[in-house]
Amino acid sequence: MDTPRYTPLIESLPADVPFVGPEELERRLGAPFAARLGANESLFGPSPRALEAIRAEAADVWKYGDPDCHDLRAALADHMGVAVGNVLVGEGIDGLLGNLVRLLIAPGDAVVTSAGAYPTFNYHVTGFGGALHKVPYRDDHEDLPALIETARAVDAKLVYLSNPDNPMGTWRRGAEIEAALDTLPEGCLLCLDEAYMEFAPDGTAAGIAAEDPRVIRMRTFSKAYGMAGARVGYAIGAAALIKSFDRIRNHFGVTRMAQAGAQAALLDTDWLAHVQTEVGVARAEITRIPRENGLHAVPSATNFVAVDCGREGDFARDVLTALQGQGVFVRMPGVAPLDRCIRVSAGPAEDTEAFARALPGALATARETADARD
Amino acid sequence: MDTPRYTPLIESLPADVPFVGPEELERRLGAPFAARLGANESLFGPSPRALEAIRAEAADVWKYGDPDCHDLRAALADHMGVAVGNVLVGEGIDGLLGNLVRLLIAPGDAVVTSAGAYPTFNYHVTGFGGALHKVPYRDDHEDLPALIETARAVDAKLVYLSNPDNPMGTWRRGAEIEAALDTLPEGCLLCLDEAYMEFAPDGTAAGIAAEDPRVIRMRTFSKAYGMAGARVGYAIGAAALIKSFDRIRNHFGVTRMAQAGAQAALLDTDWLAHVQTEVGVARAEITRIPRENGLHAVPSATNFVAVDCGREGDFARDVLTALQGQGVFVRMPGVAPLDRCIRVSAGPAEDTEAFARALPGALATARETADARD
């Protein structure tokens, strides 16, 4: 008998990891990236007040963080117009998704998502033995009616939708989601990932009652608030669902610096407005630059733009590789037909310019490779 | 049908949380604690170099942390004299324990621990449906031969041992653990929690080959390194076991500040020596003070002392409550006969003095309550 003895589920899981981090790519390339535009981080940085709060809180790093995240939850409840009992703080949306899946999904349970949507959600579903059903995008949008129809057909316990969407950057009006909720089958929870909501136009957020048992919404300090490295996100849902996470979560998992920083970030509405403005500027540039290169950019309500390279996935992969070789870190969707695109994050002018400088050469390289392949 | 539909396992779990945090206790008492001596944190604080590294790294908080923890793992491999592939960094030992249990324990699988040992380990085992078998302490020590005998009897996949022990502070010689390993039944992994090892006398750490498939060791930056609020711990084990965590862990879960701070802390051996000296001084005091009050302290190889209040658990609980009412936060073991003790963390002189001042009154109050009860 071997030691240790893994569970049969663990034995069945793939050994590969969901993402190779940019640091590892840099180590492989032997040089740091000049423009880090692949992870949809906020290159505009955190609020100076958040930074100050993190640094001040570090003096108390010898103390465990408050497992209740009491003060941050109170601030978030106020921010979202819900009760404290409707708010859960966790180790980023990744951590929250993992725990949500664990609460609902036993081996064989059905889960619905879009083909090409957030891989880490799929990673968690697979990790708990769930049966993933994937619905194709329609015109670069997650196909909400088809997601719900599939959920009904497979008796799904959980359906995932991001709004605005990652990796395409598209979005739906909140009213559409509100209406769709009434068609959600009984016993199916909608996980609404709103990681990019702060970048979306008015009317994108669905108006959902805090105690609506059909939905859990997730938001994060990793994107608009510029705190990806602090690992802090939050979920809004019915109090009973929120409370159920207490049965399984890593209670002391959110660091003191994350809690203090997030609270300060939330109050600095001027900084958020500044980031929103800058992202708008960068988004326009990342739409214009591809056009000058004969490419099309998918309209985006996020801090990134999916740039349609106009050919098959292998071509876009070659463009991506060539860009990375020139120090411009971008990512791309993993499945067709979305993988005709590369995904470029918004950043200050110098980062966008690095992309603009590298793109023509990357396209030329990819075209040569494609010609050789044909 | 209700929404959401939890798994049967989740439905079966208790709704209570493993620990009420000191902040919540303060909120209930309506005042902050004058002496925070209940969580075995390092009241001597982190290395100034670690603090500096955390604050410097905060400037890059907009970037996700390296999911490989590459630099920290390399430093830890060097520190422990093992290969990088034998090192896993995670969100504190709590996070590492949760993932370890998930790897091995399916509903009904047997796990062995000591009655009164670390509750969060039990929380994870229960959370994944494991069948917990608890072995009584013997003379305030975890009973290693009985743990192994029980593991054999119940066909355990996992057995937990802390050395030095929490909550009693006792310890075993490393050589004893090395010898016991040869009696461990096949297919049973020993989880050796060494959270307090930096406070223990020479010879306490077992000499275990990095690739020994029978053991996984866990250590932390939360205790001697004074970084509990940053959530960073590590595991040392066979490379295949370490790699298997990649199938389930929250890859971006360790914050940038935690990684940078831990690396700086590890290199500041002077600060560690300073903390070790100060803990020795405090430990002697927390041994002396109870003696002056007619009580006995259990010899400790940790940064806390179990003070034997000399009577039943209800009495010690009353002492603890009275101490907390006087602003001195301490904790106590949860089960008899360990619960005749309260557990007092080492701290600077003013904290120990606060305990010394509060203890006589707390004992008097508890005696009055006990007399009224009799």
Side-chain angles (χ1 to χ4, degrees):
Chain A
M1 195 191 314
D2 285 342
T3 302
R5 289 179 279 169
Y6 298 101
T7 69
L9 173 58
I10 295 294
E11 295 273 17
S12 77
L13 297 179
D16 55 329
V17 304
F19 284 115
V20 177
E23 288 80 5
E24 177 59 22
L25 295 173
E26 288 174 332
R27 287 187 289 266
R28 290 179 192 174
L29 289 166
F33 289 122
R36 183 167 160 133
L37 301 175
N40 302 340
E41 297 156 331
S42 185
L43 284 84
F44 307 102
S47 149
R49 286 163 63 180
L51 190 50
E52 197 183 330
I54 289 170
R55 287 176 170 156
E57 190 66 26
D60 275 349
V61 69
W62 61 272
K63 300 178 189 172
Y64 286 97
D66 178 5
D68 297 310
C69 300
H70 178 275
D71 296 349
L72 177 56
R73 285 174 75 205
L76 286 167
D78 193 48
H79 176 68
M80 297 294 287
V82 300
V84 171
N86 298 119
V87 183
L88 175 70
V89 174
E91 303 95 326
I93 289 181
D94 283 3
L96 292 165
L97 287 175
N99 282 339
L100 175 65
V101 170
R102 182 172 163 198
L103 286 174
L104 304 189
I105 305 305
D109 284 345
V111 178
V112 175
T113 187
S114 301
Y118 194 44
T120 303
F121 177 75
N122 300 356
Y123 167 77
H124 290 309
V125 172
T126 306
F128 287 103
L132 260 177
H133 300 266
K134 296 180 187 173
V135 173
Y137 277 62
R138 177 187 291 261
D139 300 332
D140 296 331
H141 288 68
E142 295 186 46
D143 188 345
L144 182 52
L147 287 166
I148 291 178
E149 195 181 316
T150 305
R152 188 182 310 279
V154 301
D155 188 25
K157 293 171 90 174
L158 187 60
V159 55
Y160 174 88
L161 178 79
S162 61
N163 188 46
D165 168 73
N166 174 24
M168 299 307 283
T170 53
W171 68 103
R172 300 189 163 275
R173 292 191 49 78
E176 240 184 291
I177 294 171
E178 291 161 31
L181 271 183
D182 293 330
T183 69
L184 201 67
E186 248 187 293
C188 180
L189 183 75
L190 173 65
C191 176
L192 186 54
D193 183 340
E194 300 184 336
Y196 297 95
M197 186 56 81
E198 291 84 0
F199 303 113
D202 285 349
T204 307
I208 295 168
E211 281 298 333
D212 192 323
R214 302 169 300 178
V215 190
I216 186 166
R217 270 177 295 170
M218 303 211 173
R219 294 199 179 180
T220 184
F221 288 89
S222 297
K223 304 301 178 187
Y225 293 102
M227 290 176 51
R231 296 284 67 201
V232 51
Y234 59 103
I236 306 290
L241 174 57
I242 294 300
K243 179 112 189 61
S244 72
F245 282 80
D246 277 349
R247 300 181 181 201
I248 58 163
R249 69 189 181 91
N250 185 6
H251 286 265
F252 291 83
V254 181
T255 78
R256 290 193 83 86
M257 284 75 75
Q259 294 186 39
Q263 214 182 325
L266 198 62
L267 295 176
D268 193 348
T269 51
D270 287 350
W271 184 261
L272 179 63
H274 157 72
V275 170
Q276 288 165 327
T277 301
E278 292 296 322
V279 165
V281 170
R283 217 156 51 184
E285 277 297 286
I286 310 173
T287 301
R288 189 188 59 77
I289 294 159
R291 199 178 303 139
E292 291 193 346
N293 287 270
L295 307 179
H296 164 73
V298 179
S300 165
T302 66
N303 70 339
F304 62 85
V305 177
V307 174
D308 186 342
C309 295
R311 297 175 63 160
E312 70 289 354
D314 282 348
F315 179 76
R317 259 179 289 279
D318 287 340
V319 174
L320 177 141
T321 304
L323 284 171
Q324 292 193 352
Q326 290 182 69
V328 178
F329 168 53
V330 299
R331 289 202 194 272
M332 61 180 289
V335 302
L338 313 184
D339 68 355
R340 69 189 195 283
C341 299
I342 57 170
R343 202 192 62 182
V344 184
S345 304
E350 62 264 31
D351 296 277
T352 310
E353 283 158 18
F355 168 64
R357 275 194 306 276
L359 184 61
L363 284 169
T365 304
R367 282 183 189 127
E368 277 169 36
T369 311
D371 289 348
R373 205 166 31 224
D374 291 343
Chain B
M1 194 192 313
D2 285 342
T3 302
R5 288 179 280 170
Y6 299 102
T7 69
L9 172 58
I10 295 294
E11 295 274 17
S12 77
L13 297 179
D16 55 329
V17 303
F19 284 115
V20 177
E23 288 80 5
E24 177 59 22
L25 294 173
E26 288 175 333
R27 287 187 288 267
R28 290 180 192 173
L29 289 165
F33 288 123
R36 183 167 160 133
L37 301 175
N40 302 341
E41 297 156 330
S42 185
L43 284 83
F44 307 102
S47 148
R49 286 163 61 180
L51 189 51
E52 197 183 330
I54 290 170
R55 287 177 171 156
E57 190 66 25
D60 274 349
V61 68
W62 61 272
K63 299 178 190 172
Y64 286 97
D66 178 6
D68 298 309
C69 299
H70 178 275
D71 297 348
L72 177 56
R73 285 174 76 205
L76 286 166
D78 193 50
H79 176 68
M80 298 295 288
V82 299
V84 170
N86 298 119
V87 183
L88 174 71
V89 175
E91 304 94 324
I93 289 181
D94 284 2
L96 292 165
L97 287 175
N99 282 340
L100 175 65
V101 171
R102 183 173 162 196
L103 285 174
L104 304 189
I105 305 305
D109 284 344
V111 179
V112 175
T113 187
S114 302
Y118 194 43
T120 302
F121 177 74
N122 300 357
Y123 167 78
H124 289 308
V125 172
T126 306
F128 286 102
L132 260 177
H133 299 267
K134 296 180 187 175
V135 173
Y137 277 62
R138 176 187 292 261
D139 299 332
D140 296 331
H141 288 67
E142 295 186 46
D143 188 346
L144 182 52
L147 286 166
I148 290 177
E149 195 181 315
T150 305
R152 188 181 310 280
V154 301
D155 188 27
K157 293 171 90 172
L158 187 60
V159 55
Y160 175 89
L161 179 79
S162 60
N163 188 46
D165 168 74
N166 175 24
M168 300 308 282
T170 54
W171 68 103
R172 302 190 161 273
R173 291 189 50 77
E176 237 183 292
I177 293 171
E178 291 161 31
L181 271 183
D182 293 330
T183 69
L184 201 66
E186 246 187 296
C188 180
L189 182 75
L190 174 65
C191 175
L192 187 54
D193 183 342
E194 300 184 336
Y196 297 95
M197 186 55 81
E198 290 85 359
F199 304 113
D202 283 350
T204 307
I208 296 168
E211 281 298 333
D212 192 324
R214 303 169 298 178
V215 190
I216 186 166
R217 272 177 294 169
M218 301 211 174
R219 295 199 178 179
T220 184
F221 288 89
S222 297
K223 304 300 178 188
Y225 293 101
M227 290 176 52
R231 297 284 64 202
V232 52
Y234 59 103
I236 306 292
L241 173 57
I242 293 301
K243 179 110 189 64
S244 72
F245 282 80
D246 277 348
R247 299 181 181 200
I248 58 163
R249 70 189 180 90
N250 185 7
H251 286 265
F252 292 83
V254 181
T255 77
R256 290 192 83 86
M257 285 75 76
Q259 294 186 41
Q263 214 184 324
L266 199 63
L267 296 176
D268 193 349
T269 51
D270 287 350
W271 184 259
L272 179 63
H274 157 72
V275 170
Q276 288 165 326
T277 303
E278 292 296 322
V279 164
V281 170
R283 216 156 51 184
E285 277 297 285
I286 310 173
T287 302
R288 189 188 60 74
I289 294 159
R291 200 180 300 139
E292 289 193 347
N293 287 268
L295 307 179
H296 164 73
V298 179
S300 165
T302 65
N303 71 338
F304 61 85
V305 178
V307 173
D308 186 342
C309 294
R311 297 174 64 161
E312 71 289 353
D314 282 348
F315 180 76
R317 258 179 289 279
D318 287 341
V319 174
L320 177 142
T321 305
L323 284 171
Q324 291 194 353
Q326 290 181 71
V328 178
F329 168 54
V330 299
R331 289 201 193 271
M332 62 181 287
V335 302
L338 314 184
D339 68 353
R340 69 190 195 283
C341 299
I342 56 170
R343 200 191 64 181
V344 184
S345 304
E350 62 266 30
D351 296 279
T352 310
E353 283 158 17
F355 168 64
R357 276 194 307 276
L359 184 61
L363 285 169
T365 303
R367 281 181 190 128
E368 276 170 36
T369 311
D371 290 348
R373 200 164 38 220
D374 292 343

